[in-house]
Amino acid sequence: MKPKHQRMWLAGLAVLAVAGASGLALSALKDQAAFFYAPGDVKKQGLPLGRAVRLGGLVQGGSIRKAADGVTMRFVVTDGTATTPVTFKGIAPDLFRENSGVVAEGQFQPDGSFVATNLLAKHDEKYQPPELAGKLHETKSLKQ
């Protein structure tokens, strides 16, 4: 076999190995990937039933209701075009409040509601930790 043919075989084997590894990685991610939906996306595309997804938007003002057991809460997530009622059982993050951003991980129910297993509260881009905000005001380099 000529050296040219050996290089062609090696290049072909390398391409097959990369394609096989990519196929295995994609098939492993298929079950673990959680797609992100806004309430308006669900309204347009329909309910993605039976899959773990993320629902994101703003917590609608005045919609947070806590159940008598103290750990179950219901609220509404909105993106301005549609709303989705969400039920969550657990401890909400400290930043979770009305009119703030939230990403809920869980599944849609056939009635259109969403049952969350995890909540991620989002803060606005102006947020600074109190310690950092205090140190910025102490900076003497801005004085002349």
Side-chain angles (χ1 to χ4, degrees), residues 84-97:
T84 301
V86 177
T87 302
F88 173 69
K89 189 173 189 174
I91 299 172
D94 290 340
L95 293 174
F96 178 79
R97 59 183 63 112

Side-chain angles (χ1 to χ4, degrees), residues 36-39 55-64 75-86 96-104 120-124:
F36 182 84
Y37 290 89
L55 174 70
L58 292 176
V59 178
Q60 191 171 38
S63 67
I64 297 176
F75 57 95
V76 175
V77 173
T78 182
D79 64 351
T81 59
T83 60
T84 301
V86 177
F96 178 79
R97 59 183 63 112
E98 295 175 350
N99 299 316
S100 67
V102 67
V103 175
L120 305 169
K122 294 169 50 178
H123 56 76
D124 64 1

Side-chain angles (χ1 to χ4, degrees), residues 33-75:
F35 295 99
F36 182 84
Y37 290 89
D41 296 335
V42 175
K43 186 177 176 183
K44 290 179 195 170
Q45 301 170 4
L47 293 172
L49 295 174
R51 293 188 347 199
V53 296
R54 292 181 176 174
L55 174 70
L58 292 176
V59 178
Q60 191 171 38
S63 67
I64 297 176
R65 305 275 185 257
K66 291 192 176 183
D69 63 0
V71 293
T72 303
M73 68 172 57
R74 291 179 175 77
F75 57 95

Side-chain angles (χ1 to χ4, degrees), residues 5-17:
H5 291 126
Q6 287 178 344
R7 285 192 299 265
M8 295 285 284
W9 270 101
L10 289 175
L13 287 174
V15 169
L16 284 175

